[in-house]
C-alpha cells in the first residue's frame, strides 16, 4: 500500500501566516528594507548553525568572488551587506546548499525545497515584483537576491534545483573543493540570478527557455519551467552546456541525461524523490493542494512546498521545519491569486 498523502490544508490556527511583501520595482533591496528583521534572524541562524568564524570566512570568500562577477544584481547584495549587522549577506546569497524536488506539469508546478539550515521554513516570504516583462511572485527569504521558486502569471512558473556534484575523485570533500576552485575563475552569473533575469525580462515561455538554456552560468544546476499555454520542460545545465527535456517532467538532484551520469546526487534519496513525485503526477488529479507532498519528497530537510499555476496566477505555499525524521508545518498555507494580465506587457 502506498503511504497516505500528508494533508496541510488546515494547519493549526495558531501558526503564523507567510507575509506577502509588495516590492513593486524595488527588487531585493526593497524586499530587504521591508523585512530587515527577518534577514537578521536568518543571519543569526546561520552563525548559530555553522559558527561565526565559518560564516565570516564564507562571507569573505563569497564577497571576493561576487565583486568580479558580471551579474546585474551584485549592487543589491552590496546594499544588503551594508545594512545587515555582522557577516552573512554574501554567504546566504551564494550558499547554493539546497536540494529540491520539482514537477513541471503544465500549467502547474509542484515544488518541494530542501535546505540543511534549520529555521528557513519559518522565514519564508512571498515578494510581489514588477518588471519590464510583467509582474511576478517570488517565494524567497529576506536578503536573498536571486530566485529559486517563482510564478509569473500568464507567462510561466519556474524553479531551480541543485545539480549533482561532479565525481572527479573518490573523496567528496576533494570534489567539492575542485568545483569551488573552478567557480573562483569565472565571471558568469550564479544560476539563481539567471532565473531572476528570466522572470524580469522574458515575456514568454520560449524566451525563458532560451535564456536559461544558453546563458553562461557559474556552476551546474537544473531548471524546471511550466508555461501558461501547456508547455513544460526541464533544463539540465552545466556552465556552457545544456540538455532540455520537453514536456511534463520531474527533476530532483541527479542528472536525467545519460551523458552526465557520473556525479554525486544531492539531498536525501534523490532518485526516490524523483520516482515518488513522478508517480504522483501520473496517478493523481493535480490541483492547488499538497496531496503529492509525502515521503520521500517530504523529508526532514524540507523547508517549503509550493504549487504554482502559470495559467491562472494561483500560488499556494507552506513553510516547514524538521520534527524528528520528517518536516511539519510551521506556517499556515498561503493562497495567493495574482491577476493574469490581458496582455503580457509592462503595466
Amino acid at each position: 500500500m502506498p503511504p497516505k498523502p500528508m494533508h496541510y490544508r488546515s494547519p493549526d490556527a495558531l501558526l503564523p501566516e507567510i507575509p506577502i511583501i509588495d516590492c513593486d520595482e524595488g527588487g531585493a533591496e526593497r524586499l530587504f528594507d521591508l523585512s530587515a528583521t527577518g534577514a537578521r534572524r536568518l543571519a543569526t541562524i546561520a552563525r548559530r548553525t555553522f559558527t561565526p568564524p565559518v560564516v565570516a570566512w564564507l562571507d569573505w570568500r563569497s564577497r571576493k568572488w561576487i565583486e568580479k562577477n558580471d551579474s546585474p544584481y551584485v549592487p543589491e547584495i552590496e546594499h544588503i551587506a551594508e545594512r545587515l549587522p555582522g557577516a552573512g549577506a554574501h554567504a546566504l546569497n551564494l550558499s547554493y546548499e539546497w536540494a529540491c524536488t520539482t514537477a513541471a506539469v503544465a500549467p502547474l508546478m509542484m515544488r518541494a525545497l530542501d535546505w540543511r539550515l534549520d529555521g528557513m521554513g519559518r522565514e519564508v516570504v512571498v515578494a510581489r515584483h514588477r518588471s519590464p516583462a510583467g509582474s511576478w511572485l517570488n517565494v524567497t527569504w529576506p536578503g536573498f537576491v536571486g530566485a529559486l521558486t517563482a510564478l509569473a502569471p500568464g507567462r510561466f512558473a519556474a524553479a531551480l534545483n541543485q545539480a549533482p556534484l561532479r565525481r572527479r575523485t573518490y573523496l567528496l570533500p576533494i570534489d567539492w573543493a575542485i568545483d569551488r576552485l573552478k567557480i573562483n575563475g569565472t565571471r558568469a552569473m550564479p544560476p539563481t540570478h539567471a532565473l531572476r533575469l528570466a522572470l524580469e525580462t522574458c515575456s514568454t515561455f520560449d524566451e525563458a527557455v532560451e535564456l536559461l538554456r544558453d546563458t553562461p552560468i557559474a556552476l551546474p544546476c537544473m531548471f524546471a519551467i511550466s508555461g501558461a499555454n501547456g508547455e513544460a520542460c526541464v533544463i539540465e545545465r552545466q556552465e556552457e552546456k545544456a540538455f532540455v527535456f520537453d514536456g511534463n517532467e520531474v527533476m530532483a538532484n541527479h542528472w536525467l541525461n545519460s551523458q552526465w551520469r557520473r556525479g554525486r546526487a544531492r539531498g536525501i534519496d534523490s532518485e526516490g524523490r524523483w520516482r515518488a513525485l513522478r508517480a504522483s503526477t501520473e496517478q493523481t488529479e493535480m490541483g492547488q493542494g499538497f496531496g503529492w507532498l509525502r515521503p520521500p519528497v517530504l523529508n526532514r530537510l524540507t523547508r517549503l512546498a509550493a504549487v504554482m499555476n502559470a495559467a491562472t496566477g494561483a500560488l499556494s505555499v507552506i513553510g516547514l521545519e524538521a520534527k524528528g525524521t520528517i518536516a511539519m508545518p510551521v506556517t499556515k498555507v498561503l493562497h495567493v491569486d495574482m491577476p493574469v494580465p490581458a496582455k503580457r506587457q509592462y503595466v
Side-chain angles (χ1 to χ4, degrees):
M1 297 262 318
K4 288 185 177 181
M6 304 193 71
H7 297 286
Y8 292 131
R9 291 174 185 152
S10 301
D12 195 313
L14 298 178
L15 293 177
E17 296 182 353
I18 296 174
I20 304 174
I21 301 174
D22 193 347
C23 299
D24 197 31
E25 300 174 355
E29 292 184 10
R30 177 74 171 161
L31 173 60
F32 174 81
D33 291 343
L34 293 174
S35 55
T37 301
R40 286 194 289 269
R41 285 196 297 264
L42 286 175
T44 300
I45 290 170
R47 288 191 288 268
R48 184 173 63 240
T49 303
F50 300 112
T51 75
V54 170
V55 172
W57 183 83
L58 291 171
D59 216 48
W60 174 79
R61 289 294 300 148
S62 300
R63 186 178 69 252
K64 289 297 182 182
W65 181 72
I66 203 67
E67 284 174 353
K68 60 182 182 181
N69 195 263
D70 290 333
S71 169
Y73 307 116
V74 172
E76 295 188 14
I77 298 178
E78 299 302 334
H79 172 94
I80 293 165
E82 290 172 0
R83 290 160 178 77
L84 187 65
H90 290 87
L92 172 65
N93 273 283
L94 299 172
S95 61
Y96 203 61
E97 289 299 330
W98 50 88
C100 327
T101 319
T102 305
V105 185
L108 293 175
M109 179 166 290
M110 282 67 69
R111 157 61 145 195
L113 186 149
D114 299 353
W115 205 310
R116 294 188 178 277
L117 194 61
D118 294 335
M120 300 292 288
R122 296 184 179 87
E123 302 298 337
V124 174
V125 301
V126 173
R128 184 184 290 114
H129 295 282
R130 198 162 62 137
S131 58
S135 297
W136 55 287
L137 296 170
N138 190 12
V139 184
T140 187
W141 291 270
F144 190 74
V145 168
L148 291 166
T149 307
L151 171 64
R155 295 189 283 147
F156 54 88
L160 183 153
N161 281 16
Q162 190 179 34
L165 178 65
R166 291 183 179 95
R167 189 185 294 272
R168 293 184 171 93
T169 72
Y170 292 101
L171 297 175
L172 187 150
I174 294 177
D175 288 345
W176 184 88
I178 293 172
D179 254 18
R180 289 310 179 272
L181 287 173
K182 186 174 181 179
I183 293 168
N184 195 51
T186 181
R187 294 171 62 95
M189 70 173 62
T192 57
H193 293 197
L195 182 53
R196 176 176 164 186
L197 185 65
L199 290 154
E200 291 184 341
T201 64
C202 296
S203 299
T204 67
F205 171 89
D206 289 338
E207 289 179 4
V209 170
E210 182 179 359
L211 187 152
L212 296 175
R213 181 193 65 209
D214 299 340
T215 301
I217 55 176
L219 69 166
C221 72
M222 309 166 79
F223 297 109
I225 315 176
S226 182
N229 300 314
E231 321 97 316
C233 75
V234 163
I235 305 171
E236 296 188 330
R237 282 298 312 270
Q238 290 187 355
E239 290 83 353
E240 296 185 357
K241 298 178 182 179
F243 274 90
V244 179
F245 294 83
D246 289 315
N248 295 342
E249 187 52 274
V250 173
M251 66 180 186
N253 302 102
H254 61 278
W255 297 126
L256 300 177
N257 80 79
S258 59
Q259 294 187 31
W260 297 348
R261 285 291 185 184
R262 185 174 168 82
R264 302 178 187 272
R266 311 273 191 163
I268 296 174
D269 190 12
S270 178
E271 293 200 13
R273 287 184 282 119
W274 179 81
R275 286 192 298 268
L277 187 53
R278 211 163 194 267
S280 293
T281 62
E282 292 172 350
Q283 299 172 9
T284 307
E285 182 177 347
M286 306 307 296
Q288 285 296 129
F290 291 97
W292 53 271
L293 187 60
R294 65 186 79 179
V297 176
L298 176 72
N299 58 76
R300 61 182 173 81
L301 300 180
T302 307
R303 298 294 175 257
L304 73 82
V307 182
M308 302 178 281
N309 190 321
T312 66
L315 167 69
S316 300
V317 187
I318 188 168
L320 304 122
E321 289 290 338
K323 186 175 182 180
T325 59
I326 204 74
M328 298 296 290
V330 291
T331 72
K332 296 178 181 177
V333 176
L334 172 68
H335 298 289
V336 182
D337 290 298
M338 190 173 186
V340 176
K343 294 182 180 180
R344 297 170 188 171
Q345 63 182 16
Y346 184 62
V347 179

